[in-house]
Amino acid sequence: DVCLRQGSPHDATSHLQEALALFRKIGDRSGEADVLNSLGEVLIANGQFDDARTSHAAALDLANPIGDKYEQARAHNGLHHAYHASGKRDQARWHRQQALRLFRELGCPEADEVRAHRTGLRPTPTSQAAVAAQDRTRGDQPVRSQPSMQEPD
């Protein structure tokens, strides 16, 4: 988050890769999935949609067998955004539906963000990577409010 705020996506990626290696070393599958989802968010923020899909798919592969529904939802949401940005609407729609279902089951506020994407309204991003990306474009003014609906560009 700090690296992205300072305009250093390479440093963010490097730190996430280090964290990933540590979680793998200690065998923490949930931690691995979390880091892979965070890495996918950084890659989406940088327009690297193919790499983001790979990262989110790997997170999903880790989260499914251990039943980590939150990381499953994050992975589906990331896949939704990566596919949507690549113009693959059918795949994006399917992953969006899965993310929405899981976030709703968990009672997470992220469900509102996922729902808003379908309606064409754009929520203010609340994920760490999205907040950092938005901060870069606003001159490092942190955005930490609840999601608000904005008209699409």
Side-chain angles (χ1 to χ4, degrees), residues 112-145:
D112 292 335
E113 295 176 29
V114 175
R115 183 202 54 79
H117 194 266
R118 179 178 174 261
T119 63
L121 295 175
R122 188 171 37 111
T124 301
T126 57
S127 72
Q128 293 295 326
V131 169
Q134 190 173 40
D135 289 349
R136 282 198 318 266
T137 62
R138 289 189 179 179
D140 200 32
Q141 296 173 0
V143 178
R144 297 282 181 204
S145 61

Side-chain angles (χ1 to χ4, degrees), residues 8-78:
S8 302
H10 176 72
D11 289 342
T13 301
S14 176
H15 291 304
L16 288 168
Q17 293 291 351
E18 289 174 22
L20 183 60
L22 291 173
F23 281 121
R24 284 181 174 155
K25 183 176 182 177
I26 63 172
D28 184 339
R29 299 288 215 181
S30 185
E32 284 183 66
D34 178 26
V35 171
L36 286 165
N37 277 324
S38 295
L39 180 59
E41 291 168 0
V42 169
L43 293 166
I44 287 172
N46 289 322
Q48 296 172 277
F49 305 119
D50 290 338
D51 292 337
R53 282 194 303 272
T54 300
S55 188
H56 285 299
L60 189 58
D61 288 344
L62 287 167
N64 279 336
I66 62 172
D68 188 335
K69 288 187 177 188
Y70 183 72
E71 293 304 331
Q72 290 172 17
R74 283 184 67 204
H76 280 297
N77 193 41

